[in-house]
């Protein structure tokens, strides 16, 4: 055992998938590596449920010292980490099952699965990290694997362009985070989150601390695709294979958001009024995302811009979580944020996977070529519609509940402007979601597509399962609400967090 | 703190920490300038490397200077790992640059413009 059980199993499968891939090319068994990685994800989930989850629900946390105890590097898994890890593993499982048929005609499948395992392991590591040393290494593991996955279809010109753009912008962000960490280290002599919280939470905001704050905002903001820093996202999300787009949009950008929540609340919550900065960014982000999405003709680019606007809604929760005064509003804001992160991973995951299924059959991403496909591929089209309606916030789907929680918390936290902007933007976003649904179901096809058939059953199974989950969480949100509230409460207990780690 | 150019016991020459801080900030902005103005794919990757090295230099300087006569192993091990990680980024970046060169027949980043907003 080096790390937590979940991470250990993910690393085991990351390494062994490569070996199995090599073996399957030797003994010529078709699809061996696909099934092996499905087994890998199922067993990771089992290990997570059997080892990590009971420990956290019994003690409230797990602490694993990683490299050397004296250096203060450790993994700290608490309710927030558990919440994020369960999202990663759930969406990862869906994507891997979907990829069995979706990717079967591609070359380099062993590499594809190794990279997926690496990316998920990186994200799990980022949310379990208890210090910046560990966080940065897992952050880079997540980033590097995602660069390669975006460039996975290496014969496509545009994939190279998107991936290179993503690599340059995102590694600039990582370099900026690293520089901020070096300044933090110089100011306090430690990289441990709890020690940093102890020495910074009540410190006066010096100019150096302002620089650190700005650099951390830029660095994490690039990964989260907050608007002035979002330019890599539409390209990378639309040029990656659809299964990867689902992972990037559903969970990778939310990992950046997790970084914001953790770091701002633990380190900066008493020094700056960062809630106002985040509130402004939230409005700018959702408005720009929606307006740009309205102008798109390409289905995947439309979904990518819609991700940006969804990040804007989530930032409402973060802004409310930072308002001083009302602790109930803080908890409600974070609850809304976590619920929306969970729901968004399912909604946007489903949207990208079903859009991928349409593109897989039609060979085109242009909306004009998707006209009338709803009658030929009913299940896929209905699940795409469910995901789009949920993203738009139609009641009885899960997106409604989380948006409602977010907007309500904005009123409660004394930021009604945010709630109004969010409601207006939800209305605006329905314009392009309904346009897609109308194109798919009602428009007359321009050329003969009558030979198009429904996608294979294993892909359909994933789509139906995700659509069912979205509807279930929309009609019966209680358990998810409690799960998110639990995570939000534990994130806001800074004193408890520090007390847990410092005596070690 | 010893004066400029004097020697501490152990034979290390001592500049004050501000020199390193100024140097690393300058390096950071050189890297940023390189990312903003250069058109060549390889030069952009060099810009990333310069930024990471600026941060590494900062870590090393702070590790040696924070406490007199004690070098913090945490920062040094972080720098070693950071060098490894950044070389991975560079390797991936160069690989993608090679593929981009094969597809577009140019290293000029302003020619990579098939994707627009």
């Amino acid at each position: 055992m080096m790390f937590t059980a979940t991470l250990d199993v993910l690393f085991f499968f990351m390494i062994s998938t490569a070996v199995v891939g090599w073996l399957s090319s030797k003994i010529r068994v078709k699809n061996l590596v696909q099934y092996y990685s499905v087994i890998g994800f199922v067993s990771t989930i089992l290990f997570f449920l059997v080892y990590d989850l009971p420990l956290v629900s019994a003690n409230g946390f797990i602490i694993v010292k990683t490299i050397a105890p004296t250096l203060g590097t450790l993994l700290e898994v608490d309710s927030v980490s558990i919440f994020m890890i369960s999202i990663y593993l759930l969406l990862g499982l869906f994507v891997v099952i979907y990829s069995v048929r979706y990717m079967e005609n591609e070359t380099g499948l062993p590499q594809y699965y190794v990279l997926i395992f690496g990316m998920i392991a990186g994200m799990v590591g980022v949310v379990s990290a208890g210090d910046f040393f560990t966080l940065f290494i897992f952050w880079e593991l997540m980033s590097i694997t995602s660069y390669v996955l975006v460039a996975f279809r290496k014969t496509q010109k545009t994939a190279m362009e998107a991936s290179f753009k993503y690599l340059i912008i995102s590694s600039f962000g990582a370099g900026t985070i690293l520089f901020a960490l070096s300044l933090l280290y110089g100011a306090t002599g430690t990289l441990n989150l709890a020690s940093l919280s102890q020495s910074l939470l009540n410190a006066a905001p010096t100019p150096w601390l302002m620089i650190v704050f700005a650099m951390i905002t830029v660095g994490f903001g690039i990964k989260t695709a907050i608007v002035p820093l979002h330019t890599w996202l539409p390209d990378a999300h639309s040029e990656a294979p659809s299964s990867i787009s689902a992972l990037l949009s559903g969970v990778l950008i939310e990992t950046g958001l997790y970084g914001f929540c953790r770091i701002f609340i633990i380190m900066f919550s008493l020094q700056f009024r960062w809630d106002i900065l985040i509130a402004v960014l939230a409005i700018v982000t959702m408005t720009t995302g929606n307006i740009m999405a309205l102008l798109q003709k390409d289905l995947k680019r439309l979904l990518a811009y819609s991700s940006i606007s969804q990040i804007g809604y989530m930032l409402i929760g973060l802004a409310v979580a930072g308002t001083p005064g009302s602790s109930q509003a803080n908890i409600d804001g974070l609850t809304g944020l976590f619920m929306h992160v969970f729901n968004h991973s399912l909604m946007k995951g489903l949207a990208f996977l079903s859009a991928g299924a349409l593109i897989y059959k039609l060979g085109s991403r242009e909306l004009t070529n998707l006209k009338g496909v709803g009658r030929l591929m009913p299940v896929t089209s209905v699940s795409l519609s469910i995901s789009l309606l949920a993203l738009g916030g139609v009641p009885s789907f899960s997106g409604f509940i989380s948006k409602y929680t977010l907007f309500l918390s904005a009123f409660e936290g004394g930021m009604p402007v945010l709630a109004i902007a969010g409601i207006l933007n939800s209305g605006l976003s329905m314009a392009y979601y309904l346009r897609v649904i109308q194109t798919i179901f009602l428009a007359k096809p321009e050329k003969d597509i009558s030979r198009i058939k429904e996608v294979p059953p294993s892909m359909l199974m994933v789509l139906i399962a995700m659509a069912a989950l979205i509807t279930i969480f929309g009609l019966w949100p209680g358990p998810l609400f409690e799960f998110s509230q639990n995570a939000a409460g534990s994130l806001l207990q800074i004193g408890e967090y520090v007390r847990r780690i410092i005596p070690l | 703190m010893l004066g400029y150019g004097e020697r501490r016991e152990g034979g290390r020459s001592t500049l004050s920490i501000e020199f390193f801080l100024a140097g690393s900030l300058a390096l950071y902005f050189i890297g940023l300038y390189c990312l903003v103005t250069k058109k060549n794919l390889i030069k952009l990757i060099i810009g990333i490397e310069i930024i990471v090295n600026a941060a590494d230099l900062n870590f090393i300087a702070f590790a040696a200077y924070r406490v007199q006569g004690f070098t913090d192993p945490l920062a040094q091990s972080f720098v070693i790992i950071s060098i490894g990680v950044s070389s991975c980024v560079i390797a991936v970046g160069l690989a993608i640059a090679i593929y981009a060169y094969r597809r577009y027949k140019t290293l000029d980043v302003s020619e990579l413009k098939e994707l627009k907003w």
Side-chain angles (χ1 to χ4, degrees):
Chain A
M1 291 276 285
M2 275 178 74
F3 305 116
T4 59
T6 319
L7 266 178
D8 283 343
V9 178
L10 276 173
F11 278 123
F12 169 76
F13 278 100
M14 178 180 167
I15 295 161
S16 61
T17 307
V19 180
V20 170
W22 175 76
L23 274 181
S24 75
S25 71
K26 288 285 164 204
I27 58 178
R28 295 174 202 285
V29 183
K30 216 181 149 218
N31 291 352
L32 179 62
V33 69
Q34 279 104 313
Y35 294 126
Y36 185 74
S37 17
V38 174
I39 293 170
F41 259 98
V42 171
S43 43
T44 313
I45 290 175
L46 285 180
F47 269 86
F48 172 68
L49 291 177
V50 171
Y51 285 95
D52 288 354
L53 195 60
L55 267 176
V56 172
S57 46
N59 294 341
F61 60 93
I62 310 172
I63 288 178
V64 184
K65 292 175 189 162
T66 45
I67 303 169
T70 49
L71 297 181
T73 54
L74 48 89
L75 291 175
E76 195 266 1
V77 182
D78 55 13
S79 311
V80 192
S81 323
I82 288 291
F83 186 84
M84 299 301 283
I85 292 171
S86 53
I87 299 175
Y88 299 151
L89 295 183
L90 188 64
L91 192 62
L93 177 68
F94 283 137
V95 164
V96 169
I97 296 174
Y98 178 89
S99 303
V100 172
R101 293 302 296 276
Y102 180 70
M103 297 296 285
E104 67 182 348
N105 298 325
E106 308 268 339
T107 54
L109 278 183
Q111 290 92 319
Y112 173 81
Y113 286 107
V114 169
L115 290 167
I116 284 191
F117 275 114
M119 192 160 94
I120 300 282
M123 292 191 278
V124 172
V126 167
V127 296
S128 332
D131 67 309
F132 273 123
F133 191 119
T134 320
L135 191 143
F136 184 78
I137 294 161
F138 281 114
W139 182 266
E140 285 288 28
L141 173 64
M142 168 186 98
S143 305
I144 294 170
T145 46
S146 64
Y147 305 148
V148 185
L149 283 172
V150 169
F152 192 74
R153 287 183 173 146
K154 55 183 187 292
T155 49
Q156 280 178 9
K157 256 182 152 179
T158 46
M160 290 305 126
E161 185 184 332
S163 172
F164 194 78
K165 205 177 195 179
Y166 176 32
L167 184 137
I168 292 295
I169 296 177
S170 179
S171 7
F172 165 69
T176 308
I177 293 175
L178 192 62
F179 201 89
L181 295 190
S182 73
L183 292 177
L184 268 184
Y185 171 77
T188 60
T190 176
L191 287 173
N192 191 312
L193 284 172
S195 317
L196 281 172
S197 167
Q198 243 182 359
S199 43
L200 290 180
L201 204 56
N202 296 310
T206 56
W208 283 110
L209 217 52
M210 297 287 242
I211 294 176
V212 169
F213 176 77
M215 280 182 159
I216 283 182
T217 312
V218 170
F220 284 95
I222 284 176
K223 204 51 138 195
T224 320
I226 289 172
V227 149
L229 312 165
H230 71 288
T231 45
W232 62 272
L233 186 141
D235 297 346
H237 285 204
S238 59
E239 293 310 318
S242 293
S243 46
I244 298 307
S245 313
L247 275 181
L248 289 179
S249 187
V251 291
L252 187 128
I253 53 179
E254 278 78 0
T255 310
L257 202 64
Y258 165 86
F260 267 123
C261 296
R262 188 65 112 186
I263 292 165
F264 279 12
I265 287 171
I266 281 188
M267 281 162 43
F268 297 121
S269 53
L270 298 180
Q271 294 152 352
F272 308 116
R273 286 297 303 271
W274 49 263
D275 51 326
I276 297 180
L277 173 75
I278 295 292
V280 172
L281 288 177
I283 294 178
V284 174
T285 304
M286 58 187 153
T287 316
T288 316
N290 276 329
I291 291 174
M292 295 302 276
L294 269 177
L295 304 171
Q296 298 305 317
K297 294 188 183 67
D298 177 328
L299 180 57
K300 280 182 80 174
R301 278 185 95 76
L302 187 151
L303 291 176
Y305 275 111
S306 133
S307 293
I308 296 177
S309 70
Q310 300 289 330
I311 286 289
Y313 300 135
M314 294 173 202
L315 288 179
I316 294 179
L318 183 57
V320 175
T323 47
S326 165
S327 62
Q328 187 56 39
N330 294 357
I331 290 188
D332 285 349
L334 269 187
T335 308
L337 184 148
F338 282 125
M339 271 181 94
H340 204 61
V341 167
F342 189 97
N343 288 334
H344 180 250
S345 81
L346 283 177
M347 297 184 297
K348 196 47 71 64
L350 176 59
F352 268 116
L353 292 184
S354 43
L358 293 180
I359 294 159
Y360 173 78
K361 282 290 174 187
L362 286 162
S364 167
R365 302 199 316 233
E366 298 291 318
L367 271 175
T368 47
N369 294 339
L370 296 178
K371 280 182 184 169
V373 77
R375 281 165 233 161
L376 302 162
M377 297 172 70
V379 182
T380 315
S381 309
V382 168
S383 55
L384 178 60
S385 314
I386 288 178
S387 69
L388 292 178
L389 291 176
L391 281 167
V394 172
S396 89
F397 296 117
S398 60
F400 170 72
I401 310 286
S402 46
K403 274 190 188 175
Y404 181 71
T405 318
L406 280 172
F407 299 159
L408 213 60
S409 75
F411 278 119
E412 196 182 352
M415 291 185 167
V417 185
L418 278 180
I420 293 165
I423 292 166
L424 289 178
N425 267 297
S426 294
L428 183 60
S429 69
M430 280 315 285
Y432 56 85
Y433 293 137
L434 289 178
R435 185 167 60 109
V436 174
I437 296 173
Q438 187 256 347
T439 313
I440 290 174
F441 281 106
L442 301 175
K444 287 261 180 297
E446 278 176 0
K447 52 187 182 193
D448 184 28
I449 52 167
S450 56
R451 284 189 295 123
I452 301 286
K453 284 206 189 69
E454 193 59 270
V455 285
S458 68
M459 281 159 81
L460 281 186
M461 202 176 72
V462 171
L463 300 182
I464 293 170
M466 291 177 84
L469 278 181
I470 289 174
T471 323
I472 289 170
F473 285 129
L475 296 174
W476 187 46
L480 178 61
F481 188 82
E482 272 168 33
F483 195 23
S484 335
Q485 205 169 27
N486 200 0
S490 112
L491 185 59
L492 282 169
Q493 285 165 352
I494 309 169
E496 179 64 28
Y497 181 84
V498 173
R499 231 170 297 129
R500 202 180 286 169
I501 294 176
I502 289 296
L504 293 176
Chain B
M1 188 61 81
L2 296 173
Y4 176 67
E6 288 179 51
R7 279 179 183 276
R8 206 186 273 172
E9 61 274 43
R12 287 186 299 177
S13 85
T14 51
L15 292 168
S16 74
I17 181 77
E18 285 80 12
F19 284 90
F20 291 101
L21 205 53
S24 69
L25 263 180
L27 265 183
Y28 180 84
F29 283 109
I30 289 170
L32 192 56
Y33 175 79
C34 173
L35 284 184
V36 173
T37 58
K38 298 297 174 196
K39 298 281 183 216
N40 189 307
L41 296 183
I42 310 291
K43 284 183 184 165
L44 290 177
I45 296 173
I46 293 173
I48 295 290
E49 187 65 16
I50 292 174
I51 286 178
V52 174
N53 284 350
D56 287 350
L57 173 64
N58 232 346
F59 265 113
I60 289 294
F62 280 130
Y65 277 88
R66 273 203 88 257
V67 183
Q68 201 80 22
F70 166 72
T71 309
D72 192 355
L74 171 70
Q76 299 218 334
S77 43
F78 193 17
V79 168
I80 300 274
I81 290 178
S82 157
I83 290 170
V85 165
S86 76
S87 62
C88 293
V89 175
I90 302 308
V92 169
L94 287 175
I96 294 171
I98 289 171
Y99 274 106
Y101 178 72
R102 284 191 196 153
R103 305 286 167 246
Y104 285 85
K105 304 289 174 214
T106 175
L107 278 176
D108 189 348
V109 79
S110 55
E111 296 293 316
L112 270 64
K113 54 184 179 190
E114 301 224 335
L115 298 168
K116 289 216 176 122
W117 54 282

